[in-house]
Amino acid sequence: MRRVLVTGASGFIGRALLPVLAGRGFEVHGIARAAQPTMAGVTWHAVDLLTEAGRAHALSASRPTHLVHLAWEARPGPLSRGSSQPSLGRGEH
């Protein structure tokens, strides 16, 4: 059986991808920080991927043959405060 682990599965792209993968015969495992509503063909795992224990649990619970990594961490920055210039990381704007 082909098993796919999708990180960021509760996000905009991840949520759209899950039924496509299930429809193509994958056993789909979705990762999200919090519990998610039931979705046909998807096994959800509430996991914090920022911790070693969370990553280990995600891998051991799903035993994936494939991985789609869509998770990311957003932090407030210049763009969230209305600036049109992103920070270059050295205090320059």
Side-chain angles (χ1 to χ4, degrees):
M1 169 61 92
R2 298 180 307 164
R3 286 180 303 277
V4 62
L5 177 63
V6 181
T7 68
S10 62
F12 182 75
I13 296 171
R15 192 162 290 279
L17 180 61
L18 298 176
V20 173
L21 293 169
R24 293 195 178 182
F26 281 91
E27 178 183 315
V28 180
H29 292 262
I31 298 293
R33 287 186 182 174
Q36 297 296 307
T38 302
M39 180 182 281
V42 177
T43 300
W44 285 101
H45 305 277
V47 170
D48 182 355
L49 292 175
L50 296 177
T51 67
E52 180 64 32
R55 292 186 298 271
H57 173 75
L59 292 173
S60 66
S62 63
R63 298 181 13 247
T65 58
H66 297 73
L67 171 69
V68 178
H69 181 51
L70 300 173
W72 66 304
E73 181 182 14
R75 294 183 184 196
L79 295 178
S80 66
R81 292 189 295 268
S83 170
S84 62
Q85 297 295 318
S87 172
L88 298 176
R90 296 178 297 243
E92 302 169 8
H93 294 274

